[in-house]
Amino acid sequence: KRRSLGVDTYAAAYERREVLRAGGLLSLVSGIQLGLGGQGLARSEETEEPFYFDFDEGHLAALIPPGYVNIENEVGPSNNELPTYLMTPDAVAQRELKKKSFQQLRNPRTNSSIIFTTTPCSSFKIAFTRVNDISDYGSITEVGNFVLPPALRDLRMTERKEEFAERKTVRGVIKPPSRRYYRYDFTTQDGLDHIAINLAVVKGFVYTMTVTCPQAVWSGEEAELLASMETMTVA
């Protein structure tokens, strides 16, 4: 039986994940659960249970609804791509960085996709001071002005703040700064798709989680997909 992502499911899974993270066991458990060292499900492994998906070696994690599969291996290497032994070290490094910076999950039933990306802050938008949080680029409205398409419908913006507990250091007790997550969801201008985007910054990189869902099925998927986006954390 397909298990949906209810509030109780999220609360229990989030609490379990935080306990595992504190104990340094998250990547190990994710690897056992997902079958790919914490990087996601193989294409043939579709699950009827919600599952945690770790992206970029665990720097981003989110609870994914049932029915999504990793399609990173669906497309083979480009025909004009050189074999590794003929590539320069820089070219190999760039190729590996590209693989790490993009990952896509897809639901064959609804034709919906969940896409994860990571971009260096220096490439995302020029800033003259160090960027430690997405709010350093401006308010949710100001960031939306340069990340969203100019023509869209029914835009909704949501800001979420993650607080951290005080911790003891050699310099005394410190309170880490909060981390903000900006979410935008809207309908495309042609009315065919609904898109929701999460953005957050950590350790010099902008992380995004983007949901694309056909408008025809959005009403039935909205609650589950938006609840999934609420579980996105970066670290």
Side-chain angles (χ1 to χ4, degrees):
K1 184 179 178 182
R2 183 174 184 270
R3 185 179 176 190
S4 64
L5 290 175
V7 174
D8 293 340
T9 303
Y10 271 110
Y14 186 82
E15 181 178 357
R16 177 171 176 269
R17 177 176 183 270
E18 291 305 294
V19 170
L20 292 171
R21 169 183 276 180
L25 298 174
L26 179 60
S27 60
L28 174 62
V29 172
S30 297
I32 295 172
Q33 178 185 359
L34 306 183
L36 282 177
Q39 294 184 3
L41 294 172
R43 182 168 172 74
S44 59
E45 298 179 57
E46 183 174 343
T47 177
E48 293 302 313
E49 294 284 326
F51 62 95
Y52 259 108
F53 187 84
D54 286 342
F55 171 64
D56 190 23
E57 300 177 348
H59 288 302
L60 182 156
L63 188 61
I64 305 299
Y68 282 82
V69 291
N70 190 345
I71 65 172
E72 65 176 346
N73 297 319
E74 181 177 294
V75 180
S78 171
N79 291 331
N80 58 6
E81 184 177 278
L82 290 172
T84 301
Y85 66 87
L86 291 178
M87 298 173 68
T88 65
D90 284 347
V92 173
Q94 287 296 320
R95 185 182 66 178
E96 293 306 308
L97 180 61
K98 184 177 180 181
K99 288 180 180 178
K100 287 178 59 178
S101 63
F102 177 92
Q103 217 156 8
Q104 181 176 6
L105 306 178
R106 182 174 176 274
N107 187 325
R109 178 180 61 85
T110 62
N111 287 325
S112 302
S113 294
I114 301 176
I115 298 171
F116 300 94
T117 69
T118 177
T119 306
C121 288
S122 57
S123 300
F124 182 73
K125 187 178 186 293
I126 295 175
F128 297 101
T129 57
R130 181 174 177 175
V131 176
N132 297 306
D133 187 77
I134 191 67
S135 61
D136 292 339
Y137 286 119
S139 68
I140 189 171
T141 301
E142 291 169 330
V143 172
N145 287 337
F146 67 84
V147 300
L148 298 176
L152 48 80
R153 302 181 188 176
D154 306 322
L155 173 64
R156 295 181 296 184
M157 299 185 290
T158 306
E159 182 176 334
R160 174 165 57 96
K161 184 184 291 187
E162 183 180 13
E163 300 287 354
F164 302 97
E166 293 181 345
R167 64 170 185 256
K168 293 181 179 179
T169 71
V170 293
R171 297 183 178 180
V173 177
I174 64 169
K175 177 72 166 66
S178 58
R179 179 176 295 129
R180 289 177 175 82
Y181 297 79
Y182 288 172
R183 189 183 79 205
Y184 309 88
D185 73 272
F186 56 91
T187 305
T188 54
Q189 186 181 24
D190 58 15
L192 297 179
D193 294 295
H194 198 95
I195 297 174
I197 306 170
N198 262 358
L199 296 100
V201 167
V202 67
K203 297 178 180 177
F205 285 83
V206 177
Y207 286 87
T208 69
M209 175 183 180
T210 302
V211 166
T212 301
C213 179
Q215 189 64 31
V217 299
W218 174 248
S219 61
E221 302 295 313
E222 177 180 3
E224 197 163 65
L225 288 173
L226 293 184
S228 174
M229 299 193 81
E230 284 293 302
T231 68
M232 170 182 154
T233 55
V234 295

